[in-house]
PDB file of all heavy atoms in Angstrom:
ATOM      1  N   GLY A 184      13.019   1.332  -3.124  1.00  0.00           N
ATOM      2  CA  GLY A 184      13.617   0.109  -3.642  1.00  0.00           C
ATOM      3  C   GLY A 184      14.984   0.422  -4.213  1.00  0.00           C
ATOM      4  O   GLY A 184      15.837   1.129  -3.704  1.00  0.00           O
ATOM      5  N   ALA A 185      15.212  -0.236  -5.421  1.00  0.00           N
ATOM      6  CA  ALA A 185      16.458  -0.102  -6.122  1.00  0.00           C
ATOM      7  C   ALA A 185      16.532   1.089  -7.053  1.00  0.00           C
ATOM      8  O   ALA A 185      17.367   1.153  -7.920  1.00  0.00           O
ATOM      9  CB  ALA A 185      16.790  -1.341  -6.889  1.00  0.00           C
ATOM     10  N   MET A 343       9.109 -12.510  -8.252  1.00  0.00           N
ATOM     11  CA  MET A 343      10.418 -13.004  -8.611  1.00  0.00           C
ATOM     12  C   MET A 343      10.519 -13.335 -10.101  1.00  0.00           C
ATOM     13  O   MET A 343      11.544 -13.060 -10.746  1.00  0.00           O
ATOM     14  CB  MET A 343      10.779 -14.214  -7.682  1.00  0.00           C
ATOM     15  CG  MET A 343      12.274 -14.498  -7.745  1.00  0.00           C
ATOM     16  SD  MET A 343      13.329 -13.197  -7.156  1.00  0.00           S
ATOM     17  CE  MET A 343      14.321 -12.865  -8.603  1.00  0.00           C
ATOM     18  N   LEU A 346      10.788 -10.116 -12.054  1.00  0.00           N
ATOM     19  CA  LEU A 346      12.127  -9.470 -11.863  1.00  0.00           C
ATOM     20  C   LEU A 346      13.175 -10.239 -12.724  1.00  0.00           C
ATOM     21  O   LEU A 346      14.038  -9.613 -13.391  1.00  0.00           O
ATOM     22  CB  LEU A 346      12.540  -9.479 -10.418  1.00  0.00           C
ATOM     23  CG  LEU A 346      11.725  -8.586  -9.481  1.00  0.00           C
ATOM     24  CD1 LEU A 346      12.148  -8.849  -8.040  1.00  0.00           C
ATOM     25  CD2 LEU A 346      11.956  -7.136  -9.814  1.00  0.00           C
ATOM     26  N   ALA A 347      13.050 -11.575 -12.735  1.00  0.00           N
ATOM     27  CA  ALA A 347      14.038 -12.362 -13.556  1.00  0.00           C
ATOM     28  C   ALA A 347      13.879 -12.102 -14.987  1.00  0.00           C
ATOM     29  O   ALA A 347      14.881 -11.983 -15.723  1.00  0.00           O
ATOM     30  CB  ALA A 347      13.813 -13.828 -13.215  1.00  0.00           C
ATOM     31  N   GLU A 350      15.313  -8.707 -15.886  1.00  0.00           N
ATOM     32  CA  GLU A 350      16.793  -8.816 -15.853  1.00  0.00           C
ATOM     33  C   GLU A 350      17.311  -9.533 -17.174  1.00  0.00           C
ATOM     34  O   GLU A 350      18.274  -9.098 -17.774  1.00  0.00           O
ATOM     35  CB  GLU A 350      17.280  -9.521 -14.630  1.00  0.00           C
ATOM     36  CG  GLU A 350      18.794  -9.606 -14.561  1.00  0.00           C
ATOM     37  CD  GLU A 350      19.332 -10.263 -13.282  1.00  0.00           C
ATOM     38  OE1 GLU A 350      18.426 -10.658 -12.485  1.00  0.00           O
ATOM     39  OE2 GLU A 350      20.552 -10.421 -13.161  1.00  0.00           O
ATOM     40  N   ARG A 356      12.635  -2.733 -14.341  1.00  0.00           N
ATOM     41  CA  ARG A 356      12.063  -3.699 -13.416  1.00  0.00           C
ATOM     42  C   ARG A 356      11.150  -3.015 -12.381  1.00  0.00           C
ATOM     43  O   ARG A 356      11.127  -1.812 -12.243  1.00  0.00           O
ATOM     44  CB  ARG A 356      13.229  -4.370 -12.657  1.00  0.00           C
ATOM     45  CG  ARG A 356      13.922  -3.474 -11.681  1.00  0.00           C
ATOM     46  CD  ARG A 356      15.283  -4.002 -11.213  1.00  0.00           C
ATOM     47  NE  ARG A 356      15.254  -5.241 -10.447  1.00  0.00           N
ATOM     48  CZ  ARG A 356      15.202  -5.289  -9.169  1.00  0.00           C
ATOM     49  NH1 ARG A 356      15.032  -4.177  -8.432  1.00  0.00           N
ATOM     50  NH2 ARG A 356      15.237  -6.467  -8.536  1.00  0.00           N
ATOM     51  N   TYR A 357      10.417  -3.846 -11.680  1.00  0.00           N
ATOM     52  CA  TYR A 357       9.620  -3.366 -10.579  1.00  0.00           C
ATOM     53  C   TYR A 357      10.466  -2.915  -9.423  1.00  0.00           C
ATOM     54  O   TYR A 357      11.358  -3.716  -8.982  1.00  0.00           O
ATOM     55  CB  TYR A 357       8.686  -4.492 -10.050  1.00  0.00           C
ATOM     56  CG  TYR A 357       7.625  -4.894 -11.004  1.00  0.00           C
ATOM     57  CD1 TYR A 357       7.371  -6.276 -11.230  1.00  0.00           C
ATOM     58  CD2 TYR A 357       6.776  -4.006 -11.686  1.00  0.00           C
ATOM     59  CE1 TYR A 357       6.353  -6.685 -12.128  1.00  0.00           C
ATOM     60  CE2 TYR A 357       5.832  -4.371 -12.548  1.00  0.00           C
ATOM     61  CZ  TYR A 357       5.585  -5.763 -12.781  1.00  0.00           C
ATOM     62  OH  TYR A 357       4.618  -6.194 -13.638  1.00  0.00           O
ATOM     63  N   PRO A 377      11.425 -10.970   2.939  1.00  0.00           N
ATOM     64  CA  PRO A 377      12.792 -11.421   2.544  1.00  0.00           C
ATOM     65  C   PRO A 377      13.076 -11.233   1.085  1.00  0.00           C
ATOM     66  O   PRO A 377      14.231 -10.878   0.733  1.00  0.00           O
ATOM     67  CB  PRO A 377      12.683 -12.910   2.886  1.00  0.00           C
ATOM     68  CG  PRO A 377      11.675 -13.006   3.944  1.00  0.00           C
ATOM     69  CD  PRO A 377      10.634 -12.006   3.614  1.00  0.00           C
ATOM     70  N   LEU A 378      12.133 -11.368   0.211  1.00  0.00           N
ATOM     71  CA  LEU A 378      12.318 -11.155  -1.247  1.00  0.00           C
ATOM     72  C   LEU A 378      12.636  -9.638  -1.475  1.00  0.00           C
ATOM     73  O   LEU A 378      13.540  -9.304  -2.237  1.00  0.00           O
ATOM     74  CB  LEU A 378      11.070 -11.498  -2.060  1.00  0.00           C
ATOM     75  CG  LEU A 378      11.132 -11.586  -3.581  1.00  0.00           C
ATOM     76  CD1 LEU A 378       9.994 -12.387  -4.119  1.00  0.00           C
ATOM     77  CD2 LEU A 378      11.126 -10.198  -4.180  1.00  0.00           C
ATOM     78  N   GLY A 379      11.878  -8.785  -0.785  1.00  0.00           N
ATOM     79  CA  GLY A 379      12.110  -7.345  -0.921  1.00  0.00           C
ATOM     80  C   GLY A 379      13.545  -6.953  -0.473  1.00  0.00           C
ATOM     81  O   GLY A 379      14.168  -6.095  -1.088  1.00  0.00           O
ATOM     82  N   ILE A 380      14.004  -7.558   0.636  1.00  0.00           N
ATOM     83  CA  ILE A 380      15.354  -7.323   1.118  1.00  0.00           C
ATOM     84  C   ILE A 380      16.381  -7.772   0.087  1.00  0.00           C
ATOM     85  O   ILE A 380      17.317  -7.018  -0.245  1.00  0.00           O
ATOM     86  CB  ILE A 380      15.560  -7.983   2.464  1.00  0.00           C
ATOM     87  CG1 ILE A 380      14.695  -7.345   3.526  1.00  0.00           C
ATOM     88  CG2 ILE A 380      17.016  -7.877   2.937  1.00  0.00           C
ATOM     89  CD1 ILE A 380      14.627  -8.015   4.879  1.00  0.00           C
ATOM     90  N   ASP A 381      16.227  -9.009  -0.385  1.00  0.00           N
ATOM     91  CA  ASP A 381      17.192  -9.574  -1.321  1.00  0.00           C
ATOM     92  C   ASP A 381      17.193  -8.882  -2.625  1.00  0.00           C
ATOM     93  O   ASP A 381      18.293  -8.660  -3.239  1.00  0.00           O
ATOM     94  CB  ASP A 381      16.836 -11.079  -1.516  1.00  0.00           C
ATOM     95  CG  ASP A 381      17.765 -11.781  -2.431  1.00  0.00           C
ATOM     96  OD1 ASP A 381      18.968 -12.039  -1.989  1.00  0.00           O
ATOM     97  OD2 ASP A 381      17.477 -12.042  -3.600  1.00  0.00           O
ATOM     98  N   GLN A 382      16.073  -8.473  -3.160  1.00  0.00           N
ATOM     99  CA  GLN A 382      15.978  -7.918  -4.493  1.00  0.00           C
ATOM    100  C   GLN A 382      15.862  -6.376  -4.506  1.00  0.00           C
ATOM    101  O   GLN A 382      15.683  -5.757  -5.515  1.00  0.00           O
ATOM    102  CB  GLN A 382      14.777  -8.491  -5.244  1.00  0.00           C
ATOM    103  CG  GLN A 382      14.924  -9.991  -5.503  1.00  0.00           C
ATOM    104  CD  GLN A 382      16.077 -10.274  -6.488  1.00  0.00           C
ATOM    105  OE1 GLN A 382      16.199  -9.666  -7.540  1.00  0.00           O
ATOM    106  NE2 GLN A 382      16.913 -11.219  -6.132  1.00  0.00           N
ATOM    107  N   LYS A 383      15.846  -5.768  -3.326  1.00  0.00           N
ATOM    108  CA  LYS A 383      15.743  -4.340  -3.191  1.00  0.00           C
ATOM    109  C   LYS A 383      14.454  -3.752  -3.769  1.00  0.00           C
ATOM    110  O   LYS A 383      14.513  -2.921  -4.651  1.00  0.00           O
ATOM    111  CB  LYS A 383      16.964  -3.646  -3.742  1.00  0.00           C
ATOM    112  CG  LYS A 383      18.255  -4.016  -2.994  1.00  0.00           C
ATOM    113  CD  LYS A 383      19.483  -3.258  -3.562  1.00  0.00           C
ATOM    114  CE  LYS A 383      20.723  -3.606  -2.748  1.00  0.00           C
ATOM    115  NZ  LYS A 383      21.962  -2.896  -3.315  1.00  0.00           N
ATOM    116  N   VAL A 384      13.343  -4.391  -3.367  1.00  0.00           N
ATOM    117  CA  VAL A 384      12.039  -3.920  -3.791  1.00  0.00           C
ATOM    118  C   VAL A 384      11.360  -3.264  -2.591  1.00  0.00           C
ATOM    119  O   VAL A 384      11.222  -3.868  -1.542  1.00  0.00           O
ATOM    120  CB  VAL A 384      11.167  -5.069  -4.283  1.00  0.00           C
ATOM    121  CG1 VAL A 384       9.789  -4.576  -4.691  1.00  0.00           C
ATOM    122  CG2 VAL A 384      11.875  -5.762  -5.461  1.00  0.00           C
ATOM    123  N   GLY A 385      11.070  -1.967  -2.687  1.00  0.00           N
ATOM    124  CA  GLY A 385      10.500  -1.243  -1.585  1.00  0.00           C
ATOM    125  C   GLY A 385       9.069  -1.520  -1.452  1.00  0.00           C
ATOM    126  O   GLY A 385       8.328  -1.727  -2.421  1.00  0.00           O
TER     127      GLY A 385
END
Side-chain angles (χ1 to χ4, degrees):
M343 194 62 241
L346 293 172
E350 182 177 0
R356 72 197 294 269
Y357 295 133
L378 191 162
I380 293 171
D381 181 72
Q382 294 295 311
K383 296 183 178 179
V384 178

